[in-house]
Amino acid sequence: MLIIGALDTTAQRYVDDLSHNQQLQLTVYTPSRVRLSASIHALTEETLDEGGLTAAMLDQDVVVALVPTIRLTATVKTLVTAASATGTRSLMISRTDDMDDLPGEIRRARQQLANAQLHYDFITGLGGIGTLLGSTPAPGEVVPIDPFTDQQAG
């Protein structure tokens, strides 16, 4: 699975949680300088770089783009170009905000995808990704603390 986009603290935690799922091999393509689990292949690149994004999309079965609404049209244009070059037929685009003041941005992005004849899902927030994938991130191991000693139980 390829995850594209800037990672804020919440998205970074979500990606780290996804990395615990043994069925997923994660690649993250982000302009953000973040520390990720060693099991995640991380590429630090600008999301609007068509060449870099195309290379990152090669051999990926699932492509998820985390995009703020204000950059939706530009990012979708780059995604469509990269998807066409790699044969990717399906994209999940998750708006990373709930900004409803830019309906033209959403409309133009959907039109670009329709013209490209790609299967796509538009979702808002990270929760919808797990729903569409049919899996939710597995949290890291939880070790209970004994309330009387403040030490790990067991």
Side-chain angles (χ1 to χ4, degrees):
M1 173 185 345
L2 175 64
I3 298 178
I4 301 162
L7 299 181
D8 61 11
T9 304
T10 303
Q12 184 177 347
R13 194 170 21 251
Y14 185 80
V15 168
D16 284 336
D17 287 346
L18 279 175
S19 74
H20 295 291
N21 184 331
Q22 299 298 322
Q23 297 176 347
L24 297 176
Q25 289 187 335
L26 293 177
T27 300
V28 174
Y29 185 89
T30 180
S32 308
R33 299 231 183 255
V34 294
R35 181 171 290 161
L36 299 170
S37 167
S39 65
I40 299 172
H41 182 71
L43 303 167
T44 306
E45 300 290 337
E46 174 55 46
T47 55
L48 296 178
D49 174 16
E50 288 179 7
L53 187 56
T54 300
M57 270 192 190
L58 287 171
D59 299 322
Q60 296 292 334
D61 54 348
V62 177
V63 176
V64 177
L66 307 175
V67 186
T69 303
I70 199 160
R71 295 189 67 183
L72 199 53
T73 301
T75 303
V76 166
K77 180 179 183 232
T78 305
L79 288 167
V80 166
T81 301
S84 296
T86 61
T88 301
R89 302 303 318 150
S90 181
L91 299 171
M92 273 188 250
I93 300 167
S94 177
R95 290 176 39 223
T96 57
D97 55 46
D98 57 0
M99 182 182 262
D100 292 326
D101 295 347
L102 300 170
E105 198 66 24
I106 296 168
R107 190 172 37 255
R108 284 187 295 276
R110 286 183 190 270
Q111 187 62 48
Q112 288 173 339
L113 290 163
N115 290 342
Q117 298 180 355
L118 291 171
H119 170 74
Y120 65 92
D121 291 294
F122 261 101
I123 49 183
T124 300
L126 298 173
I129 296 170
T131 301
L132 287 173
L133 292 174
S135 71
T136 54
E141 182 181 347
V142 176
V143 179
I145 302 292
D146 184 328
F148 298 108
T149 63
D150 286 333
Q151 299 291 322
Q152 290 182 346

